Coordinates of all heavy atoms in Angstrom, one line a residue:
A37 N 29.8 21.3 29.9 CA 28.4 20.6 29.6 C 28.4 19.2 30.1 O 29.4 18.5 29.8 CB 28.1 20.7 28.2
Q38 N 27.4 18.9 30.8 CA 27.3 17.5 31.3 C 26.1 16.8 30.6 O 25.1 16.6 31.1 CB 27.1 17.5 32.8 CG 28.1 18.1 33.6 CD 29.5 17.4 33.4 OE1 29.5 16.1 33.4 NE2 30.6 18.2 33.2
I39 N 26.3 16.6 29.3 CA 25.3 16.0 28.5 C 25.5 14.5 28.4 O 26.6 14.1 28.2 CB 25.3 16.6 27.1 CG1 25.0 18.1 27.1 CG2 24.3 15.9 26.1 CD1 25.2 18.7 25.7
P40 N 24.5 13.7 28.8 CA 24.7 12.2 28.7 C 25.2 11.8 27.3 O 24.8 12.3 26.3 CB 23.3 11.7 29.1 CG 22.5 12.8 29.8 CD 23.1 14.1 29.1
Q41 N 26.0 10.8 27.4 CA 26.7 10.3 26.1 C 25.5 9.8 25.2 O 25.7 10.1 24.0 CB 27.7 9.2 26.4 CG 28.5 8.8 25.2 CD 29.3 9.9 24.6 OE1 30.0 10.6 25.4 NE2 29.3 10.1 23.3
D42 N 24.6 9.2 25.6 CA 23.4 8.7 24.7 C 22.9 9.9 24.0 O 22.5 9.7 22.8 CB 22.4 7.9 25.5 CG 22.8 6.6 25.9 OD1 23.9 6.1 25.6 OD2 22.0 5.8 26.6
D43 N 22.7 11.0 24.6 CA 22.1 12.1 24.0 C 23.0 12.8 22.9 O 22.6 13.3 21.9 CB 21.7 13.3 25.0 CG 20.6 12.8 25.9 OD1 19.7 12.0 25.5 OD2 20.5 13.3 27.0
I44 N 24.3 12.7 23.1 CA 25.3 13.2 22.2 C 25.2 12.2 21.0 O 25.2 12.6 19.8 CB 26.7 13.2 22.8 CG1 26.7 14.3 23.9 CG2 27.7 13.5 21.7 CD1 28.0 14.2 24.8
D45 N 25.2 10.9 21.3 CA 25.2 10.0 20.2 C 23.9 10.0 19.4 O 23.9 9.8 18.2 CB 25.4 8.5 20.8 CG 26.8 8.5 21.4 OD1 27.7 9.2 21.1 OD2 26.9 7.6 22.3
D46 N 22.8 10.3 20.0 CA 21.5 10.5 19.4 C 21.6 11.7 18.4 O 21.0 11.7 17.3 CB 20.4 10.7 20.3 CG 19.8 9.3 20.7 OD1 20.0 8.3 20.1 OD2 19.2 9.3 21.9
A47 N 22.2 12.7 18.9 CA 22.4 13.9 18.0 C 23.2 13.6 16.7 O 23.0 14.1 15.7 CB 23.1 15.1 18.8
L48 N 24.3 12.8 16.9 CA 25.1 12.3 15.8 C 24.1 11.6 14.8 O 24.2 11.8 13.6 CB 26.2 11.5 16.2 CG 27.1 10.9 15.1 CD1 27.9 11.9 14.5 CD2 27.9 9.7 15.6
A49 N 23.4 10.7 15.3 CA 22.5 9.8 14.4 C 21.5 10.8 13.6 O 21.2 10.5 12.4 CB 21.7 8.9 15.3
V50 N 20.9 11.8 14.3 CA 20.0 12.6 13.6 C 20.7 13.5 12.6 O 20.1 13.7 11.5 CB 19.0 13.4 14.6 CG1 19.8 14.6 15.2 CG2 17.8 13.9 14.0
A51 N 21.8 14.0 12.9 CA 22.6 14.8 11.9 C 22.9 13.9 10.7 O 22.8 14.4 9.6 CB 23.9 15.3 12.6
A52 N 23.2 12.6 10.9 CA 23.5 11.7 9.8 C 22.3 11.5 8.9 O 22.3 11.6 7.7 CB 24.2 10.5 10.3
K53 N 21.2 11.3 9.6 CA 19.9 10.9 8.9 C 19.4 12.1 8.2 O 18.8 12.0 7.1 CB 18.9 10.3 9.9 CG 17.7 9.7 9.2 CD 16.8 8.9 10.1 CE 15.8 8.3 9.4 NZ 15.0 7.4 10.1
R54 N 19.7 13.3 8.7 CA 19.1 14.5 8.0 C 20.2 15.1 7.0 O 19.8 16.0 6.3 CB 18.9 15.6 9.1 CG 17.9 15.3 10.2 CD 16.5 15.4 9.9 NE 16.3 16.9 9.6 CZ 15.1 17.4 9.1 NH1 14.2 16.5 8.9 NH2 15.0 18.6 8.9
G55 N 21.3 14.4 6.9 CA 22.4 14.9 5.9 C 23.1 16.1 6.3 O 23.6 16.7 5.3
H56 N 23.2 16.5 7.6 CA 23.9 17.6 7.9 C 25.3 17.2 8.2 O 25.8 17.0 9.3 CB 23.3 18.3 9.2 CG 21.8 18.7 9.0 ND1 21.5 19.5 8.0 CD2 20.7 18.3 9.7 CE1 20.1 19.7 8.0 NE2 19.7 19.0 9.1
I57 N 26.1 17.2 7.1 CA 27.5 16.7 7.1 C 28.4 17.6 8.0 O 29.3 17.0 8.7 CB 28.1 16.6 5.7 CG1 29.5 15.9 5.7 CG2 28.1 17.9 5.0 CD1 29.5 14.5 6.2
E58 N 28.3 18.8 8.0 CA 29.1 19.6 8.9 C 28.8 19.5 10.3 O 29.7 19.4 11.1 CB 29.2 21.1 8.5 CG 29.7 21.4 7.1 CD 31.1 20.8 6.9 OE1 31.9 20.9 7.8 OE2 31.4 20.3 5.8
C59 N 27.6 19.4 10.7 CA 27.2 19.0 12.0 C 27.7 17.7 12.5 O 28.2 17.5 13.6 CB 25.7 19.0 12.2 SG 25.0 20.8 12.0
L60 N 27.6 16.7 11.6 CA 28.1 15.4 11.9 C 29.6 15.4 12.1 O 30.1 14.8 13.1 CB 27.8 14.5 10.6 CG 28.2 13.0 10.8 CD1 27.1 12.0 10.3 CD2 29.6 12.8 10.0
R61 N 30.3 16.1 11.2 CA 31.8 16.2 11.5 C 32.1 16.9 12.8 O 33.0 16.4 13.5 CB 32.4 17.0 10.3 CG 32.4 16.2 9.0 CD 33.1 17.0 8.0 NE 33.2 16.1 6.7 CZ 32.9 16.6 5.5 NH1 32.6 17.8 5.2 NH2 33.0 15.8 4.5
L62 N 31.4 17.9 13.2 CA 31.6 18.5 14.5 C 31.3 17.5 15.7 O 32.1 17.4 16.6 CB 30.7 19.8 14.7 CG 31.2 20.9 13.8 CD1 30.0 22.0 13.8 CD2 32.5 21.5 14.3
L63 N 30.2 16.8 15.5 CA 29.7 15.9 16.6 C 30.7 14.7 16.7 O 30.8 14.1 17.8 CB 28.4 15.4 16.3 CG 27.3 16.6 16.7 CD1 25.9 16.1 16.0 CD2 27.2 16.6 18.1
L64 N 31.4 14.4 15.7 CA 32.3 13.2 15.7 C 33.4 13.4 16.8 O 34.0 12.4 17.3 CB 32.9 12.9 14.4 CG 32.0 12.1 13.4 CD1 32.5 12.0 12.0 CD2 31.7 10.7 13.9
A65 N 33.7 14.6 17.1 CA 34.7 14.9 18.2 C 34.3 14.5 19.5 O 35.1 14.2 20.5 CB 35.0 16.5 18.1
V66 N 32.9 14.3 19.7 CA 32.5 13.9 21.1 C 31.5 12.7 21.1 O 31.2 12.2 22.1 CB 31.8 15.1 21.8 CG1 32.8 16.3 22.1 CG2 30.7 15.7 21.0
A67 N 31.1 12.3 20.0 CA 30.1 11.3 19.9 C 30.8 9.9 19.6 O 31.9 9.9 19.1 CB 29.0 11.5 18.8
D68 N 30.1 8.8 19.8 CA 30.5 7.5 19.5 C 29.7 6.9 18.3 O 28.5 6.6 18.5 CB 30.3 6.6 20.7 CG 30.7 5.1 20.5 OD1 31.3 4.9 19.4 OD2 30.4 4.2 21.3
P69 N 30.3 6.8 17.1 CA 29.6 6.3 16.0 C 29.2 4.9 16.1 O 28.4 4.4 15.2 CB 30.6 6.6 14.8 CG 31.7 7.5 15.4 CD 31.7 7.3 16.9
L70 N 29.8 4.2 17.0 CA 29.3 2.8 17.3 C 28.1 2.6 18.1 O 27.6 1.5 18.2 CB 30.5 2.0 17.8 CG 31.8 1.9 17.0 CD1 32.9 1.3 17.9 CD2 31.5 1.0 15.8
F71 N 27.6 3.7 18.6 CA 26.4 3.7 19.4 C 25.2 3.1 18.7 O 25.0 3.2 17.5 CB 26.0 5.2 19.6 CG 24.7 5.4 20.3 CD1 24.5 5.1 21.7 CD2 23.6 6.0 19.7 CE1 23.3 5.3 22.3 CE2 22.4 6.2 20.3 CZ 22.3 5.9 21.7
Q72 N 24.5 2.2 19.4 CA 23.4 1.3 18.9 C 23.7 0.7 17.6 O 22.9 0.9 16.7 CB 22.2 2.2 18.9 CG 21.6 2.6 20.3 CD 20.3 3.3 20.2 OE1 19.8 3.6 19.1 NE2 19.7 3.5 21.4
H73 N 24.8 0.0 17.6 CA 25.1 -0.8 16.3 C 25.3 0.1 15.2 O 24.7 -0.2 14.1 CB 24.2 -1.9 16.1 CG 24.0 -2.8 17.3 ND1 24.9 -3.8 17.6 CD2 22.9 -2.9 18.1 CE1 24.5 -4.4 18.7 NE2 23.3 -3.9 19.1
S74 N 26.0 1.2 15.3 CA 26.2 2.2 14.1 C 25.0 2.8 13.7 O 24.7 2.9 12.4 CB 27.1 1.5 13.1 OG 28.3 1.1 13.7
K75 N 24.1 3.3 14.6 CA 22.8 3.8 14.2 C 23.0 5.0 13.2 O 22.2 5.2 12.3 CB 22.1 4.3 15.5 CG 20.8 5.0 15.3 CD 20.2 5.5 16.7 CE 18.9 6.1 16.5 NZ 18.4 6.5 17.9
A76 N 24.0 5.8 13.4 CA 24.2 7.0 12.6 C 24.5 6.6 11.1 O 24.0 7.1 10.1 CB 25.4 7.9 13.1
L77 N 25.2 5.5 11.0 CA 25.6 4.9 9.6 C 24.3 4.5 9.0 O 24.0 4.7 7.8 CB 26.7 3.9 9.7 CG 27.1 3.3 8.4 CD1 27.7 4.3 7.5 CD2 28.1 2.1 8.6
R78 N 23.5 3.7 9.7 CA 22.3 3.1 9.2 C 21.4 4.3 8.7 O 20.7 4.3 7.7 CB 21.6 2.3 10.2 CG 22.2 1.0 10.5 CD 21.4 0.0 11.3 NE 20.6 0.6 12.4 CZ 21.0 0.8 13.6 NH1 22.2 0.4 14.0 NH2 20.1 1.2 14.5
G79 N 21.2 5.3 9.6 CA 20.4 6.5 9.3 C 20.8 7.2 8.0 O 20.0 7.6 7.2
A80 N 22.1 7.4 7.8 CA 22.6 8.0 6.6 C 22.4 7.1 5.4 O 22.0 7.7 4.4 CB 24.1 8.3 6.8
A81 N 22.6 5.9 5.6 CA 22.4 4.9 4.4 C 21.0 4.8 3.9 O 20.7 4.7 2.7 CB 23.0 3.6 4.8
V82 N 20.1 4.8 4.8 CA 18.7 4.6 4.5 C 18.1 5.8 3.7 O 17.2 5.7 2.9 CB 17.8 4.2 5.8 CG1 17.5 5.5 6.6 CG2 16.4 3.7 5.3
I83 N 18.6 7.0 4.0 CA 18.1 8.1 3.4 C 19.0 8.5 2.1 O 18.5 9.1 1.2 CB 18.2 9.4 4.4 CG1 17.3 9.1 5.6 CG2 17.7 10.7 3.7 CD1 15.8 8.9 5.3
G84 N 20.2 8.0 2.1 CA 21.0 8.2 0.9 C 21.9 9.4 1.0 O 22.4 9.9 0.0
H85 N 22.3 9.6 2.2 CA 23.4 10.7 2.4 C 24.8 10.2 2.3 O 25.4 9.9 3.3 CB 23.1 11.4 3.7 CG 21.8 12.1 3.8 ND1 21.4 13.1 2.9 CD2 20.8 12.0 4.7 CE1 20.2 13.5 3.3 NE2 19.8 12.8 4.3
A86 N 25.3 10.1 1.1 CA 26.6 9.5 0.9 C 27.7 10.2 1.6 O 28.6 9.5 2.0 CB 26.8 9.5 -0.7
Q87 N 27.7 11.5 1.6 CA 28.8 12.2 2.3 C 28.8 11.8 3.8 O 29.9 11.6 4.4 CB 28.6 13.8 2.3 CG 29.0 14.3 1.0 CD 28.9 15.8 1.0 OE1 28.0 16.4 1.5 NE2 29.9 16.5 0.5
C88 N 27.7 11.6 4.4 CA 27.7 11.2 5.8 C 28.1 9.8 6.0 O 28.8 9.4 6.8 CB 26.2 11.4 6.4 SG 25.7 13.1 6.5
V89 N 27.6 8.9 5.1 CA 28.1 7.5 5.0 C 29.7 7.5 5.0 O 30.3 6.8 5.8 CB 27.5 6.7 3.9 CG1 28.2 5.3 3.7 CG2 26.0 6.5 4.2
E90 N 30.2 8.3 4.0 CA 31.7 8.3 3.8 C 32.4 8.8 5.1 O 33.4 8.2 5.5 CB 32.0 9.1 2.7 CG 33.4 9.1 2.2 CD 33.7 9.7 0.9 OE1 33.0 10.7 0.6 OE2 34.6 9.3 0.3
A91 N 31.8 9.8 5.7 CA 32.4 10.3 7.0 C 32.4 9.3 8.2 O 33.3 9.4 9.0 CB 31.7 11.6 7.4
L92 N 31.4 8.5 8.1 CA 31.3 7.6 9.2 C 32.0 6.2 9.0 O 32.4 5.5 10.0 CB 29.8 7.2 9.4 CG 29.0 8.4 10.0 CD1 27.5 8.2 9.8 CD2 29.3 8.6 11.6
L93 N 32.3 6.0 7.8 CA 33.1 4.7 7.5 C 34.5 4.8 8.2 O 35.1 5.9 8.2 CB 33.3 4.5 6.0 CG 32.1 4.1 5.3 CD1 32.3 3.9 3.8 CD2 31.5 2.7 5.8
G94 N 35.0 3.8 8.7 CA 36.2 3.7 9.4 C 36.0 4.1 11.0 O 36.9 3.9 11.7
R95 N 34.9 4.7 11.3 CA 34.6 5.0 12.6 C 33.4 4.1 13.2 O 33.1 4.1 14.3 CB 34.2 6.4 12.8 CG 35.4 7.4 12.5 CD 34.9 8.8 12.5 NE 35.8 9.7 12.2 CZ 36.4 10.7 13.1 NH1 35.8 10.7 14.2 NH2 37.2 11.5 12.6
S96 N 32.6 3.7 12.2 CA 31.5 2.8 12.6 C 31.7 1.4 12.2 O 32.8 1.1 11.7 CB 30.2 3.3 11.7 OG 29.9 4.6 12.0
D97 N 30.8 0.6 12.4 CA 30.8 -0.9 12.1 C 29.8 -1.2 11.0 O 28.6 -1.4 11.2 CB 30.5 -1.8 13.3 CG 30.6 -3.3 13.0 OD1 31.0 -3.6 11.8 OD2 30.2 -4.1 13.8
P98 N 30.3 -1.1 9.8 CA 29.4 -1.3 8.6 C 28.8 -2.7 8.5 O 27.8 -2.9 7.9 CB 30.2 -1.0 7.3 CG 31.6 -0.9 7.8 CD 31.7 -0.8 9.3
K99 N 29.4 -3.6 9.2 CA 28.9 -5.0 9.3 C 27.9 -5.2 10.4 O 27.4 -6.3 10.6 CB 30.0 -6.0 9.3 CG 30.8 -6.1 8.0 CD 31.8 -7.1 8.0 CE 32.6 -7.2 6.7 NZ 33.6 -8.2 6.7
A100 N 27.6 -4.2 11.2 CA 26.7 -4.4 12.3 C 25.4 -4.8 11.9 O 24.9 -4.4 10.8 CB 26.6 -3.0 13.0
M101 N 24.7 -5.6 12.6 CA 23.4 -6.1 12.3 C 23.3 -6.7 11.0 O 22.4 -6.5 10.2 CB 22.3 -5.0 12.6 CG 22.3 -4.5 13.9 SD 21.3 -3.0 14.1 CE 19.7 -3.7 13.7
E102 N 24.4 -7.5 10.7 CA 24.4 -8.2 9.3 C 24.4 -7.4 8.2 O 23.6 -7.6 7.2 CB 23.3 -9.4 9.3 CG 23.5 -10.4 10.5 CD 22.6 -11.6 10.2 OE1 22.9 -12.3 9.1 OE2 21.7 -11.9 10.9
S103 N 25.2 -6.3 8.2 CA 25.4 -5.4 7.0 C 24.1 -4.7 6.7 O 23.8 -4.4 5.5 CB 26.1 -6.1 5.8 OG 27.4 -6.5 6.1
V104 N 23.3 -4.4 7.7 CA 22.0 -3.8 7.5 C 22.1 -2.4 6.8 O 21.3 -2.1 5.9 CB 21.1 -3.7 8.8 CG1 21.6 -2.6 9.7 CG2 19.6 -3.5 8.4
A105 N 23.2 -1.6 7.0 CA 23.3 -0.4 6.3 C 23.4 -0.6 4.7 O 22.7 0.1 4.0 CB 24.6 0.4 6.8
L106 N 24.1 -1.6 4.4 CA 24.1 -2.0 2.9 C 22.7 -2.4 2.4 O 22.3 -2.0 1.3 CB 25.2 -3.1 2.7 CG 25.2 -3.6 1.2 CD1 25.8 -2.5 0.3 CD2 26.2 -4.7 1.2
S107 N 22.0 -3.2 3.2 CA 20.7 -3.6 2.8 C 19.7 -2.5 2.7 O 18.9 -2.4 1.7 CB 20.1 -4.6 3.8 OG 20.9 -5.8 3.9
L108 N 19.8 -1.5 3.6 CA 18.9 -0.3 3.5 C 19.3 0.5 2.3 O 18.3 1.0 1.6 CB 19.0 0.5 4.8 CG 18.5 -0.3 6.1 CD1 18.9 0.5 7.4 CD2 17.0 -0.3 6.0
A109 N 20.5 0.8 2.1 CA 20.9 1.5 0.9 C 20.4 0.9 -0.4 O 19.9 1.6 -1.3 CB 22.4 1.8 0.9

Side-chain angles (χ1 to χ4, degrees):
Q38 300 300 318
I39 300 175
Q41 189 63 47
D42 284 359
D43 291 333
I44 297 168
D45 299 336
D46 277 335
L48 177 72
V50 77
K53 192 165 186 176
R54 303 275 299 172
H56 299 305
I57 184 64
E58 294 307 321
C59 292
L60 181 136
R61 288 182 177 136
L62 290 166
L63 286 163
L64 281 171
V66 293
D68 177 9
L70 294 169
F71 173 69
Q72 290 186 354
H73 307 285
S74 298
K75 179 180 180 179
L77 181 63
R78 291 192 321 270
V82 74
I83 302 298
H85 296 302
Q87 283 186 314
C88 294
V89 168
E90 188 170 31
L92 290 163
L93 288 177
R95 296 173 182 244
S96 299
D97 178 9
K99 291 185 179 179
M101 299 173 63
E102 299 196 63
S103 295
V104 73
L106 178 62
S107 295
L108 292 168

